[in-house]
Amino acid sequence: MKEYMFQSPARIHFGRGAVSKSGTEAARFGKSALVVTGKGSSARTGSLDAVLASLKAAGVAATVYAQVESDPSVNTVEAGAKLARENGCDVIVALGGGSPLDAAKGIAMLLTNGGKVTDYEFKSPEKDGTPIIAVPTTAGTGSEITRFTVLTDTDRKVKMLIQGAGLIPKVALLDPELTLSMPAHVTAGTGMDALTHAIEAYISKIATPMTDVHALEAIRLIGENLIKAVHGPENMQAREGMLRGQMHAGLAFGNASVALVHAMSRPLGALFGIPHGQANAMLLPVVMDYNHSAAPERFRDIARALGENVDDLSLRDAARTAVLSVEELLEETGLENRLSAFGVKESDIDRLASDAAVNGSCNFNPRKPDKEEIAALYAAVL
Ligand SMILES: [Fe+2]
């Protein structure tokens, strides 16, 4: 057994009402919070009010930055850092889906390390960012507990993956009540993103016994709860299952990385604006089909975690069952399963495949794909 490292986040509160800890947790780190959130939904659903009330009760001042778009841009992050400096903010509360959380990480990084976002495209920030209390309102990205942020350079149409231990939020408040208001397509997209994290971490070349435990538990929970949450938005048990599932997925891929699906979905987001979870969902079955022969035992485990009985099947068929099971799941979510629905044309595949082939996540895939193979995978879901 080779030596390995598992980076765990500092503190996780899980359960209904966890959002009410925002104030006391923020007060451990500072007196003035920048609250980073999206452009509307957290105000509409009342989650922003819950955070602000908790901060007030704990005596922490709040500056609200409710300007984060989906796929947050470098400009949004730099404007947020400027606002934080002007108001002397010494702690950040990040509230919302993956986009506000990723934007908050970028802001936190700039506040302590200085410079521009693009300075960190290929090098990790040296210093820990300003402390972040992360409060997710979707069940998918795992951003509240990972060391990654994905920020978009709109000039170059590139999604940059920036990483460093200093980007991990100090506290994650996982409150399933905040996820109840997610519309079905967001539940489906973010849930499929989390499933992709878990599956890619489990088949990753750098998976370890510690990431395996989290990955399999994530696959089990998501397999059991995703469709229930999509079709029964008020189903609290399913919402809890999904939130816990995506957390385990975050712990897994935060250490074992993601692989080819993510390498291929990033250019779809950068060039066509396809939401991250939706892009992963479309690609996941076809990429699993490409990968399953390279790690059949792992895919058999995935099939079992998804509740399939594969005891009487050959190893090959058991592995293939995992692919079919995810295909079925995708269909039941009601998400799109064709790139053409988003305006992608055959003539776009060359550029997409070039971008995906140089993406670092390819290195962790059980099969090392070349550009032609990646192009064929895009073509299969066109
Ligand atoms: Fe993802």
Side-chain angles (χ1 to χ4, degrees), residues 32 34 63 79-90 92 107 111:
S32 176
L34 182 76
T63 302
K82 185 165 173 274
L83 184 68
R85 281 194 198 101
E86 285 165 2
N87 288 278
C89 298
D90 46 12
I92 294 175
I107 293 169
L111 288 177

Side-chain angles (χ1 to χ4, degrees), residues 140-141 193-194 196-197 253 258 262 265-266 276-277 280:
T141 67
D193 182 30
T196 309
H197 295 156
F253 94 92
V258 284
H262 274 76
S265 71
R266 287 197 193 105
H276 178 67
N280 283 332

Side-chain angles (χ1 to χ4, degrees), residues 86-168:
E86 285 165 2
N87 288 278
C89 298
D90 46 12
V91 60
I92 294 175
V93 180
L95 172 70
S99 298
L101 270 52
D102 277 5
K105 288 172 163 180
I107 293 169
M109 169 182 85
L110 292 185
L111 288 177
T112 54
N113 289 273
K116 304 190 300 292
V117 173
T118 45
D119 297 342
Y120 303 97
E121 187 173 4
F122 301 111
K123 72 166 189 174
S124 296
E126 278 174 23
K127 296 181 195 155
D128 280 6
T130 299
I132 298 174
I133 317 298
V135 191
T137 59
T138 62
T141 67
S143 183
E144 72 280 2
I145 47 173
T146 67
R147 64 178 196 278
F148 309 116
T149 178
V150 179
L151 301 172
T152 301
D153 184 338
T154 40
D155 294 341
R156 289 181 298 147
K157 292 198 170 189
V158 172
K159 278 188 153 194
M160 296 178 291
L161 175 74
I162 301 174
Q163 54 182 307
L167 294 178
I168 301 174

Side-chain angles (χ1 to χ4, degrees), residues 28 57 120 174 211 289 315 341 349 375:
R28 290 171 55 216
Y120 303 97
L174 292 159
T211 60
D289 197 30
L315 178 58
I349 288 181

Side-chain angles (χ1 to χ4, degrees), residues 222-350:
I222 296 165
E224 198 174 291
N225 292 294
L226 176 59
I227 301 306
K228 288 181 194 160
V230 169
H231 298 298
E234 301 289 326
N235 183 335
M236 183 55 89
Q237 216 183 344
R239 292 296 196 186
E240 274 182 23
M242 284 306 297
L243 194 59
R244 200 151 64 77
Q246 69 90 39
M247 174 196 73
H248 285 296
L251 290 169
F253 94 92
N255 287 281
S257 190
V258 284
L260 182 55
V261 176
H262 274 76
M264 291 177 64
S265 71
R266 287 197 193 105
L268 289 172
L271 297 170
F272 293 91
I274 304 179
H276 178 67
Q278 165 69 74
N280 283 332
M282 284 189 282
L283 296 166
L284 182 58
V286 72
V287 174
M288 285 175 76
D289 197 30
Y290 170 78
N291 277 331
H292 78 282
S293 58
E297 287 90 358
R298 294 251 137 188
F299 278 82
R300 180 171 60 189
D301 293 343
I302 292 168
R304 286 202 172 109
L306 288 168
E308 303 287 350
N309 182 353
V310 292
D311 291 352
D312 297 329
L313 298 182
S314 67
L315 178 58
R316 195 173 172 279
D317 285 349
R320 174 107 182 101
T321 301
V323 184
L324 299 174
S325 186
V326 169
E327 223 166 57
E328 222 170 88
L329 206 58
L330 171 61
E331 176 139 2
E332 287 177 53
T333 61
L335 289 168
E336 287 290 347
N337 60 4
R338 291 281 144 204
L339 292 173
S340 50
F342 298 91
V344 181
K345 293 192 243 17
E346 208 179 334
S347 54
D348 299 316
I349 288 181
D350 191 63

